[in-house]
Each structure stands twice: as C-alpha cells, then as structure tokens.
DNA sequence: AACCCGGGGGC
DNA sequence: GCCCCAGGGTT
C-alpha cells in the first residue's frame, strides 16, 4: 500500500471528531481554516464555535461591523485574519451572491486565502484534487521521503508542493488531506514522534536512518541582534577603571570598560540620568568627551559602541570593576575595538 | 527574499 | 529561551 492509503486507514481509525469535518459548507470550512492558520486546534476550537453560532452564513458575516469581528477575534492573534475575513465575506456576498466559492482558482483570489487555504477549502468542500501543504505535511513528507531540502526556501517549497501533489490520492482528496495533517499533528509530531506505533515506519526513510529529529530542515534566518554598548572611560591619567566580563555573553571572561548596555541608541547626556548610573556616579558626573558611535559587526550581533569619557570617580564600584594602571591594560585580554580606543586615548 | 503579524504550549 | 502551531500579506 502506498503512503496515502496507509495514512487514510490510520486516519479513519484515529481521527479526532472536529466540528468542521462534519460539513461540506465552504463557508464554515473557510471559517475554520482561517481560524486555524498558525493556531492549534485546541486554541481555535472555541472561536470556531462562537463565530459559527453568531454568523451562521457568509451573509451574516458580511453584515457584521468590523469592531464586532475583532472583538470576537480577541485573544486569537494575527488580527489581520479577522479584517481580511470581513472583506472577503463582503466580496462573496456581493460578487458571488452570498455563495462561497469552492474552486481553487476562485478561492486563491480572495483576501486571506493563500495556497494552503485554497487547497484545503476546495478539497474539503468539493473534493477538488488539490494537495494541501501545511506545517504537518512538510514534516510528514520530509521524514517519510528523507528530504533535507529546507522547507522554507523557495526551492524547498516548490519541491514539497510537487511531492505533495504526487502523493495526493486523487480519488479521495479530502480524506487524503485530512489524513496527512491529522497524522502530522497527532503521530508524526515535531518532537517525540510516535514512531513505535507508526503504520508507515517501515517505508519511512527518516525512521530507517534514525533521522526523524533532524527533519524537516528549516532555514533559520541568522537573525542579527542589535545591541547598544555605552562604555565609560574613567581615569586620573595614571589609573583606569576596568571591567572583567562574565560568562554567557560575547567576550566571556575578557576585559573591557564599565559598560552600560541600553535597548537603543542613547545620548550620553540621557545616559547619565539613568537611575543605575546616578546610583554609581551621583548626579554631578560630567561628560568630558564622547566618541561617535562605532559599528562593530559580529556573526550574530551588531554592536553599536560609544565611548564616554567621564570626569568623575564612582561613588562605589560595581562587581567586576577594578582599577589598574594604564600601562597594565596591555597585559589584559580585551576586544580589539576596546583596546584600540584605549591605546589611542592614552597615546601609546 | 525578508519581515511582520500574536497568543499559547511543549520542552 | 526557542520552536512550533491546519499561513498570508507587504515591501
């Protein structure tokens, strides 16, 4: 038996009884599909009941004030879904005389309906042979066929849509799509998949190679964190206030200057007003000099560094702060940017 | 192609 | 803290 047949068998024995599975009303299916976008079934369920009761047809929905829709949507997140639904309901009411479309070609034109949702509605309401590709389907296909192409690359998306199309049971599109997703949600889960009771484990490439945890592959956009470092330089000419960095951050256990990290770019004058600064330096700290902001690029972080030369001695020392002679800074392991600044400042 | 949108749950 | 959830729209 092929994958689809096996999964449909599994589905018919193990499926959850979900309200939107007991109808072919395209409007109600649309309602459920929009609610369930990026939303767990358990979270979306009460919203589905409330919407279906208050707006039993698309005509009822189309007449609703946007405030009412958003109020009912409250707590579900991604609120543009609610706004798009109203636009779509109004369009369906006017252009389609209140009859919700069931063909992929018509559905895909509507606000808030993309490839997945168009495939879902058309297959569930009219058995149009369109393969859905959602998070579950990506996972099931990637594991079963052992595909390590990233699911969120353009190439990967195309590949998985092709695989899904090939795997589609064209005699039973609705059943097939439901089965694929339910299987992914209940058994072939992201973590701790129940391979022990999986009906298709013998045909599963990932199971055979013990690679289920590694699939699917997802490109994680190496998101670069922006950080704002305000370094304080405090010296009497011979001695310099330094800081020894701790664990768990860049430059661990190395040395730098007393650091005030802020959430955004902050002018030194404003910096001195921060309660934490006042606590250490009093209210009479004078800015003797300040540098421009230096951009320091690391792999995962962009540091915006500014040095502020203060004409004040701290009232007390923070943990890890200590004085050393300017000469001795040459013996301390420091980030290059810091060391260069100190070297230039003291002209050695 | 990158970014934004959100609350909730699992680990 | 990070990942993921029945994704889609905008730039």
């Amino acid at each position: 038996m092929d994958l689809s047949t096996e999964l449909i068998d599994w589905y018919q024995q193990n499926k959850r009884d979900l309200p939107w599975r007991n109808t072919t009303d395209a409007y109600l299916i649309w309602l459920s599909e929009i609610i369930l976008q990026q939303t767990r079934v358990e979270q979306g369920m009460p919203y589905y009941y409330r919407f279906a009761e208050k707006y039993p047809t698309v005509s009822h929905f189309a007449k609703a004030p946007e405030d009412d829709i958003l109020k009912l949507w409250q707590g579900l997140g991604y609120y543009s879904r609610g706004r798009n639904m109203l636009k779509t309901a109004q369009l369906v009411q006017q252009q389609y005389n209140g009859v919700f479309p069931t063909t992929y070609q018509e559905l895909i034109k509507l606000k808030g309906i993309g490839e997945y949702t168009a495939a879902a509605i058309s297959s569930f309401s009219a058995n149009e042979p369109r393969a859905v590709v959602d998070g579950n389907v990506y996972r099931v296909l990637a594991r079963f066929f052992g595909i390590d192409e990233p699911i969120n690359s353009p190439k990967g998306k195309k590949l998985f849509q092709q695989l899904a199309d090939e795997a589609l049971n064209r005699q039973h599109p609705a059943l097939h799509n439901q089965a694929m997703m339910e299987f992914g949600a209940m058994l072939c889960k992201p973590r701790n998949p129940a391979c022990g009771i999986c009906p298709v484990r013998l045909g599963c490439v990932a199971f055979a190679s013990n690679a289920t945890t590694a699939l699917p592959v997802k490109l994680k956009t190496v998101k670069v964190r922006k950080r704002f470092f305000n370094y304080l330089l405090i010296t009497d000419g011979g001695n310099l206030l330094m800081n020894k960095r701790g664990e768990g951050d860049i430059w661990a256990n190395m040395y730098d200057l007393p650091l005030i990290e802020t959430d955004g770019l902050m002018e030194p004058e404003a910096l001195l007003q921060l309660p934490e600064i006042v606590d250490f330096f009093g209210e009479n700290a004078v800015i003797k000099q300040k540098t421009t902001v230096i951009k320091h690029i690391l792999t995962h972080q962009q540091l915006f560094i500014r040095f502020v030369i203060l004409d004040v001695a701290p009232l007390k020392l923070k943990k890890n702060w200590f004085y050393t002679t300017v000469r001795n800074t040459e013996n301390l392991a420091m980030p290059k940017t810091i060391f260069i600044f100190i070297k230039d400042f003291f002209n050695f």
Side-chain angles (χ1 to χ4, degrees), chain A residues 9-20:
Chain A
D9 278 358
W10 175 89
Y11 172 72
Q12 289 176 323
Q13 295 173 37
N14 297 281
K15 66 175 175 178
R16 293 169 287 183
D17 185 18
L18 304 177
W20 46 85

Side-chain angles (χ1 to χ4, degrees), chain A residues 269-295:
Chain A
E269 291 75 9
L271 197 67
L272 292 183
Q273 307 299 321
L274 295 177
E276 187 197 349
I277 309 301
V278 174
D279 190 32
F280 280 92
F281 297 95
E283 298 187 352
N284 297 323
V286 176
I287 299 168
K288 209 169 167 184
Q289 197 181 327
K290 60 189 176 187
T291 68
T292 57
V293 175
I294 299 162
K295 195 170 172 182

